[in-house]
Amino acid sequence: MEYILTFTLAPGGQNCSANANITVSRPDNQGIFSFKQNYGKQAWQSYGLYLGLSGQDETVNLLFESQAVESDDNSTCWPVIDSLLVKAVENLVQGKDNLLLNGGFEFGPDFLSNSTEGILLDSASSPVQSPLSQWAVVGTIKYIDSEHFFVPHGNAAVEIVSGVSAGIHTEVTLAKGSAYNLEFILGDANNACEGDFIVEVRAGSVAQNFTIRSDGTGSAEKSSIKFEVDSNATTPISFSSFTTSQTKDGIFCGPVVDDVVLLSLSSNSLRIVINPNILISLLLLIVILW
């Protein structure tokens, strides 16, 4: 089983709003967390961290260490940790309707029951060692739930919040010379994030920019790009933000990505869907003509 940690970090002491730095580590992975930007309305923020693979009944040692920070001579600052959750994620299996694993972003850290702010995911260079299963993270993204945000599909989605060059990417093994279609939904999270979002979508050697005009009240647009595989190497799929956005309250925000579906356009793998009523009518017509 793979395990993912969710925890809450807040600054402690007086005049310490930006002085809460902590390292969370286990034997083969660690992350450094701090208040680099204002990503929510609360004085605390929730984070996700990939803990790795563990066997049944195996003990995992977690270490939380405070990092030295600069503070005023008249104040004492310290990080406050609360609400630790550990979630187990089973191995994902590729389905016939999507060649991507976790294309709907349903497999990630567990949401806190009393949190309305989502979960921040910092940079994770490997898709297989990321709190967002099968997706690497560049910059900072926010993992959002449908209970508190506008999520186009399912229970969870990704909001790219840390601006230019931030985003997510994965890799998939595809057949050289074959054609594919990448479908996805872009929108906003209904969190008062207004403006024009520019998202670069890359599939193999094809890259295209999409502009999403948001009024901050929750919107979604379904788009797609077609591409051919010209190499035997794994094919990269990525979504990158080209804009830095803030709400009127100064909270960093950005475009939402959801429901990423990769399908082959080869003749032997096209999905044909026929309405049952039409099928019955065709059969009756054949019988009559016969």
Side-chain angles (χ1 to χ4, degrees):
M1 301 287 286
E2 292 182 309
Y3 291 89
I4 303 172
L5 171 70
T6 303
F7 72 97
T8 298
L9 175 65
Q14 296 180 345
N15 303 319
C16 301
S17 60
N19 291 297
N21 300 332
I22 194 168
T23 298
V24 184
S25 58
R26 56 156 292 167
D28 57 356
N29 192 26
Q30 73 171 19
I32 299 176
F33 303 90
S34 63
F35 281 80
K36 296 188 290 286
Q37 303 284 3
N38 183 18
Y39 294 121
K41 297 180 181 180
Q42 303 295 333
W44 46 266
Q45 294 176 347
S46 297
Y47 296 86
L49 176 66
Y50 177 78
L51 296 181
L53 292 167
S54 296
Q56 187 175 4
D57 298 328
E58 180 180 353
T59 299
V60 177
N61 294 321
L62 292 179
L63 178 62
F64 295 81
E65 290 183 294
S66 176
Q67 298 293 309
V69 295
E70 295 181 2
S71 60
D72 188 274
D73 294 336
N74 298 322
S75 63
T76 301
C77 300
W78 60 87
V80 176
I81 305 170
D82 197 7
S83 301
L84 279 75
L85 295 176
V86 176
K87 178 181 180 180
V89 179
E90 298 181 4
N91 292 330
L92 303 183
V93 179
Q94 189 181 84
K96 295 181 180 180
D97 294 334
N98 194 352
L99 298 177
L100 293 178
L101 295 176
N102 199 23
F105 310 121
E106 298 299 305
F107 298 93
D110 215 358
F111 293 101
L112 301 174
S113 60
N114 62 344
S115 173
T116 61
E117 298 291 344
I119 304 172
L120 296 178
L121 308 183
D122 286 336
S123 294
S125 58
S126 171
V128 296
Q129 293 184 333
S130 169
L132 183 65
S133 295
Q134 302 299 319
W135 290 87
V137 177
V138 178
T140 300
I141 65 173
K142 181 180 286 189
Y143 192 53
I144 59 175
D145 64 325
S146 59
E147 185 175 350
H148 301 101
F149 298 88
F150 173 72
V151 170
H153 183 268
N155 298 315
V158 166
E159 182 186 13
I160 306 175
V161 294
S162 64
V164 178
S165 298
I168 56 174
H169 69 88
T170 189
E171 294 182 343
V172 60
T173 301
L174 301 175
K176 181 180 178 180
S178 297
Y180 295 87
N181 187 50
L182 182 70
E183 301 173 354
F184 49 89
I185 297 176
L186 301 176
D188 74 272
N190 188 24
N191 55 358
C193 192
E194 301 178 10
D196 291 341
F197 305 144
I198 301 176
V199 179
E200 182 196 68
V201 181
R202 183 175 295 272
S205 59
V206 176
Q208 184 175 340
N209 289 347
F210 293 83
T211 300
I212 307 300
R213 187 156 297 173
S214 167
D215 60 3
T217 58
S219 61
E221 296 181 14
K222 192 167 186 176
S223 303
S224 65
I225 57 175
K226 293 180 174 60
F227 66 98
E228 292 187 0
V229 177
D230 52 11
S231 172
N232 287 322
T234 55
T235 300
I237 306 291
S238 66
F239 296 82
S240 303
S241 174
F242 273 21
T243 51
T244 300
S245 304
Q246 290 178 272
T247 66
K248 295 179 181 179
D249 297 331
I251 296 173
F252 283 81
C253 56
V256 168
V257 184
D258 199 8
D259 196 25
V260 183
V261 177
L262 178 63
L263 296 172
S264 172
L265 294 178
S266 301
S267 59
N268 60 354
S269 60
L270 286 176
R271 295 187 302 174
I272 301 176
V273 179
I274 300 178
N275 187 302
N277 294 329
I278 296 177
L279 182 60
I280 293 173
S281 299
L282 288 173
L283 290 176
L284 289 174
L285 180 60
I286 292 174
V287 171
I288 293 172
L289 293 176
W290 185 265

